[in-house]
Every structure is written in structure tokens, then in C-alpha cells.
Amino acid sequence: MFPGGTAARRDPPRAAQVGWGADVVPWPADLVERYERQGYWGRETLGELPRRWAAVHGDRCAIVDHRGPTSYAALDGRVDRMASGLHALGVGPGDRVLVQLPNTATFVVTCFALFRLGAMPILVMPAQRINDLDGLCKLAEPVAFVVQDRFLGFDYRPMAEELAKRHGSLRHVVVDGEAGPHHRLEDLDDPPLRNTGPRPGDIACLLLSGGTTGTPKLIPRTHADYAYNARASAALCGLSAESVYLAALPAAHNFTFACPGILGTLLRGGRVVMARTPGGDETFPLIAREKVTFTALVPALVDLWLRQREWDTTDLSSLQLLQVGGARLMPDMARRIGPALGCRVQQVLGMAEGLLCYTRLDDSEEVVINTQGRPLSPDDEVRIVDAAGRDVPPGEPGELLTRGPYTIRGYYRAERHNRTAFTSDGFYRSGDLVRRRADGNLVVEGRIKEQINRAGEKIAVAEIEEHLRAHPAVDDAVLLGVPDPILGERSRAVLIAGGSRPELADLHAFLRDRGLARHQLPDELGFVSSWPLTAVGKIDKKRLADPSGPRVAGASAFREETIP
Ligand code: OOB
């Protein structure tokens, strides 16, 4: 068991979801009672944590970023003052706030300030652009948007202004850096206020789902479930006050934030080191300087790190554990990690919706290399089912369905979609094709959902196809995932264009103008004059994805081939 369990057991169960309204699907009362009784859900809210940490760890360093160190005491103080500053702007309990910040201590301060107020951060990655954010504003009606002025060559302020123009709900833009006419984040600095704060069963934050449709999906995580997610993950990974976590992936991603990531490290009194970019050029010197003990990557980045390691001699000897998840890690690459980086590997099959499967630190090499581990919680329920929803025989592949103490019961404000994304008895349909080995470990075999997993970044196929069809020269369009040795999958747009055929660069410019992010732009382009069809008359995407398929133009390759 883990800390927090005993407190919950002493107290009578509380009605955890009072006041959620129609926006969120609650867990059934008997399970609320069970999860509290088992001690998964404690009494604390996320916003209270920094206060407790400050009392225990005081001047010890909590976070290091490019601006320098922040102690636990300073973190708590900044959280208090920013919460008051936000409150003074009129941000209150239940309000949604878009947060799009790079990996900085400010990111952590902002999240905890909002947790403390009972407002809900919507955690957006820095790479996302106006098309995604526009959809999120429509859906969640945030009252404020917290951004950095500029990051990696992109100025977030004009985008924020455009969003504020389009959405009446968005009353405040708060900028870390040069704020111009907006609120300076540093000025949100009022004397601490004592508010009653949210309850453990309230929604703490809204995470982004990779999605499969044109409409964005938000994942409501409660204080209690998310704290459990991080606490149990930290225990499983053996974290202690000596742990030093490198946040290399975006902090706003669930993996980085809470699996066990930033939250889990701070819960154990460890230190979080923020990398602005995940490449070896920045991260290797940080590992050496800060004596980083563990970090998390997607397979495409592991590949980059391994290549750099062929010539790089930075001292990485402090590194004990590399977590890899977000996309399938091939056994060959998994095997190379230990020798090249001098650390253990942990595979993580995770999803922002909840369920986390981990290989354990004492698992055999065979398990760590060939499987994506098993569920974190004793109360995680996993079913593997066929197309008709029947459990498959042991060892056979099928779709992974799950429910449990940190897996949502429905997306935020998505009543209609929830009817298909969840079973009637509350299992989340992951869209992942998995099989369970006799030892209980899961292996990801593929995917059922219409999503491309490009280096761990999820692309909703239907959404991008709609944008492609909007191009004046395009009559019809499909987007495919094709295997890629580095990215796992890259995206290929195949178009029917009656008149002039657009070039890839033209298409990119067009899609960028529509507010798409870099990773959403097709990597390559092909044309056909009519769709190949399956026996039942659907577009045969398999045939289009075939290497001997249509003429394809990519950044480097160009082949002249046509579908017969
Ligand atoms: C993580 O979360 P999301 O929400 O960005 O993506 C979830 C999806 C899964 O449904 C699966 O399709 C894929 O990403 N995935 C994997 C995987 N881990 C995630 N596919 C194959 N092998 C793996 N190890 O990606 C995420 C969240 C928390 C921790 C780690 C990853």
C-alpha cells in the first residue's frame, strides 16, 4: 500500500462527485466507496500538496529550470501568491484555464495555483496551434489563457489575441515574459488568501486526448484519482527524496506530469529538472550536471539518444531508469538501451484516460524487452475483447477495455461520444489491440482506432482529412499511417485532385494557415484517380498504405507509382 490510504480508511466515504453536473460522468457510488475504503482515493487535494511539502522539505530544491532552482518553500509561496493573483482577476472554482507553457517551474506553479483555487487547467502542449485551441475553447469555455511570450521561434501572443477575439469566455491572457497589453504572470502576486478550496472528488484538471474525431476530447481527472495515479506510480518506480527526474517530454503530457513524472517526484521529496527540448544536446549535459536518476521518453527520442550516444561521451552514470512509452518500443531498441545509456528500462503503456501498465523494476530482462507490462492498480480491470465485445481466449489479441480507480468514466461534455467510447458498464474502449501473456503482461499488437501515432504524438485522422478536403484543388482525401523506422509511423496524405495537383509544401502552407501544428502536417503526399475499395465498398486504406501503392512525394523521397 502507499501513503494516504490510512487517512481515507478512518473517514466515512464522501459523496465525491456532488456538483459535477452533466459535464462529467461520475463513478458509481459503490465504486467511490470502494476506492476510498481501499485507500486509493485520499482526502487531500492537489493544491494542498505544496504546503505539506514545504513544511517537510523547506529549502531543499524542488525544481530546476533554465532560470535556476526553486525550493519547496519557494514553490509553495509562489503557488499561494499566484492563486491570489488569479483570484483577483476573477478566476474561481470550477473555471477552466488554458495553460500552454514549456517545461519551466512556472508551469508547475501555474498548475498548483489553479488546483488550489479549484479552477481546472486545460493542459495544452507548446506544439499545439490555433486549430486545436479553438476547438478546446468552444468545448470548455476557458476564462483565461496562460502562455509564455515566445518559445522555439513561435510567438504565442497573437494566437492568444485571436482566440480571445473569437471566444467571449476568454477574458484574460496571462503571459510569462513580455506581456504587452496582457497580464504579466509575474504580477499575479497577491498576499495569500484562504479559500475553502475544492474537494478530493472534484475535477482537478482536463487532459487532452489524442482523439479519433474532428472534435477535441478533454479528459477530466479528479484530485483524488490523479494523486493516486502519481503516488502509486512513484511507489512502483521506487522513488525517494534522492530521485532526480528529468522532464524531457512536454510537462503537459500525462506521462511527464504524473506517471510518476513531476508530480510523483515531488510527492517523494525528489527534484525535478526541466529540459526545454528533449534532444541529447540539451538533456545529456543536464543529466550530468544535475545527476538525473530517471526520465521518460517516447521510442522516437530513444532512437535519437542512442544515435547520439555513438559518439557522445557525456557522463550519464547517474541515470538509473529510462521509462519508455507512448508508442510501441521494438525489442531491438529496448535491448540497446542498457548498454548505451547504462540504465534499466521500464516499458509503460499509458493513456491520458487513465490506465497505466508498467513493467516492474525487478522483472526479468525478457519481460522488460518484450512486453508493455501490467496494470498499476490491483483494482484496474482489463478486458480483452473481439469485435462483438466478447472476451477473447487467453493469449489471443483483442481490444483492450478498462476501468478502475484512475480511469475516467466519460470525456468532458461529450455525452454522445461517450456512448460509443465507453461500454454501458463503464469500461473505456482504448482502441488498442493487445494480447495478455500467461504471466499477465500485455503486449500491444496494433490499433483499432483511427489514429496515427507519430513519435508518440497522436493524430486524429478524420480531423486532418477534413482539413485536406477543404483545399480548393482537392476533391477527396485520406490520411494514412505508414510504418517509419524512426517515428514509428509517419503520415501520408493520399488525394484525388481533378485539376492541378498541389505540392507537399503548398499543402503544408495551407494547413498551417488553418492553424494545424507541425506534427499534424502530412509527411508525404500521394495521388490516385479513384479509391481502391474493399469487398464491402470501403476505401481500402491498407492498399493505399502499401509501399507499392500510389505515387508518393515526401520531404526526401519521390516515387512514381500508381495504384493499378
Ligand atoms: C500516452 O498517453 P496518450 O493519451 O498520449 O496516448 C495513449 C495511446 C494508447 O491508447 C496507445 O495507443 C498508445 O498511446 N501507447 C502505446 C504505448 N503507450 C501508449 N502504444 C504502444 N506501446 C506503448 N508503450 O501515450 C501515455 C500516457 C501515460 C504514460 C505513457 C504514455
Side-chain angles (χ1 to χ4, degrees), residues 126-138:
Q128 291 184 277
R129 294 293 176 258
I130 197 159
N131 175 62
D132 284 346
L133 274 66
D134 193 57
L136 294 173
C137 287
K138 269 193 211 119

Side-chain angles (χ1 to χ4, degrees), residues 20-34:
W20 273 15
D23 294 344
V24 176
V25 183
W27 277 272
D30 57 327
L31 283 181
V32 173
E33 199 268 334
R34 175 179 172 80

Side-chain angles (χ1 to χ4, degrees), residues 25-28 30-31 34-35 351 353-355 375 377-386 389-392 398-411 415-432 434 436 442:
V25 183
W27 277 272
D30 57 327
L31 283 181
R34 175 179 172 80
Y35 296 155
M351 48 204 78
E353 285 80 0
L355 179 72
S377 172
D379 271 77
D380 280 323
E381 298 172 67
V382 169
R383 288 181 61 203
I384 301 175
V385 302
D386 64 17
R390 288 175 305 234
D391 291 296
V392 296
E399 185 183 9
L400 184 159
L401 309 186
T402 185
R403 57 181 191 187
Y406 60 100
T407 296
I408 55 162
R409 289 299 184 122
Y411 292 101
E415 205 185 327
R416 176 125 54 104
H417 181 66
N418 287 339
R419 278 184 230 140
T420 50
F422 295 81
T423 65
S424 55
D425 53 355
F427 279 84
Y428 166 59
R429 296 185 212 268
S430 72
D432 291 319
V434 304
R436 188 170 13 219
L442 301 181

Side-chain angles (χ1 to χ4, degrees), residues 528-552:
V528 289
S529 48
S530 64
W531 297 125
L533 299 178
T534 64
V536 289
K538 290 189 190 177
I539 296 177
D540 191 346
K541 287 196 166 185
K542 275 210 187 94
R543 231 162 114 204
L544 290 173
D546 194 292
S548 62
R551 186 189 101 151
V552 174

Side-chain angles (χ1 to χ4, degrees), residues 125 208-210 219 253-256 259 298-299 324-329 347-358 371-372 428 430-432 444 446-447 449 451 453 456-458:
M125 287 357 123
L208 260 60
S209 147
I219 296 167
H253 195 273
N254 181 40
F255 196 7
T256 324
C259 308
V298 292
V324 187
R328 179 71 204 271
L329 175 66
Q347 292 216 41
V348 188
L349 163 60
M351 48 204 78
E353 285 80 0
L355 179 72
L356 298 170
C357 297
Y358 290 101
T371 83
Q372 282 67 59
Y428 166 59
S430 72
D432 291 319
V444 179
R447 187 177 48 229
K449 57 192 167 193
Q451 193 181 69
N453 190 336
E457 291 191 283
K458 315 301 181 315

